[in-house]
Amino acid sequence: SQNVAVGSGVLQHVNNSGSNNIGIGFNALYNNTSAGTNIGIGDTALYNATTGGGNTVVGSAAGYSIQGGATNTLIGLNAGDAITSGSNNICIGASSDAAATNNYQICIGISQATTASKETRIGNGSTNTTACYIDGIRGITTTNATTNLVVMSDSAGQLGTGSTKTFINGVRGVSTDQP
């Protein structure tokens, strides 16, 4: 089955169809039965991954609840541990998480969490982030694609450049010609 297992309980339940997995750490990929091409490093990393493949997970209990979710990248203690069937998600930071069944979520920060598909959250989930610098936000769909646009948010906190938006406290434009 071409699997690599290092540690007690790693790939404990793998059968002949689960191949090309790498599990390192106590009970990593423990319940894997037929999932393939997963990398789980850390105790109980990808513990419940049964059929989802292509996940790359580093951190104790990272990706713990993933069962059928695929191609998730999770880095940090408990990162992405609520994901069950969601795919193509990225969580970086201790206890950063994505909604269990949603896809294409990006979550970066300590205790930060996304709640919907195609959502990106960056910052510290337990306190307000005081500043966010993003280089390269441009209005590429406008008639003048080289003009820098001011990034604003609406009442729901959604980023954008439209006239119904208001300035976000702490967001500043950054360009390569500024120190």
Side-chain angles (χ1 to χ4, degrees), residues 11-24:
L11 289 162
Q12 186 70 33
H13 298 284
V14 72
N15 61 29
N16 290 333
S17 64
S19 63
N20 301 311
N21 295 292
I22 299 171
I24 300 173

Side-chain angles (χ1 to χ4, degrees), residues 129-148:
T129 300
T130 58
C132 179
Y133 300 92
I134 303 172
D135 187 20
I137 294 179
R138 294 180 182 266
I140 57 172
T141 59
T142 65
T143 56
N144 184 354
T146 61
T147 302
N148 288 321

Side-chain angles (χ1 to χ4, degrees), residues 3-84:
N3 291 304
V4 175
V6 178
S8 176
V10 177
L11 289 162
Q12 186 70 33
H13 298 284
V14 72
N15 61 29
N16 290 333
S17 64
S19 63
N20 301 311
N21 295 292
I22 299 171
I24 300 173
F26 175 74
N27 284 344
L29 288 157
Y30 181 84
N31 285 314
N32 184 326
T33 55
S34 60
T37 61
N38 286 301
I39 299 171
I41 300 173
D43 71 282
T44 66
L46 289 171
Y47 183 87
N48 285 307
T50 54
T51 59
N55 295 296
T56 303
V57 174
V58 178
S60 178
Y64 184 91
S65 299
I66 291 176
Q67 296 167 8
T71 59
N72 294 292
T73 302
L74 314 171
I75 301 171
L77 172 70
N78 298 317
D81 64 344
I83 299 170
T84 56

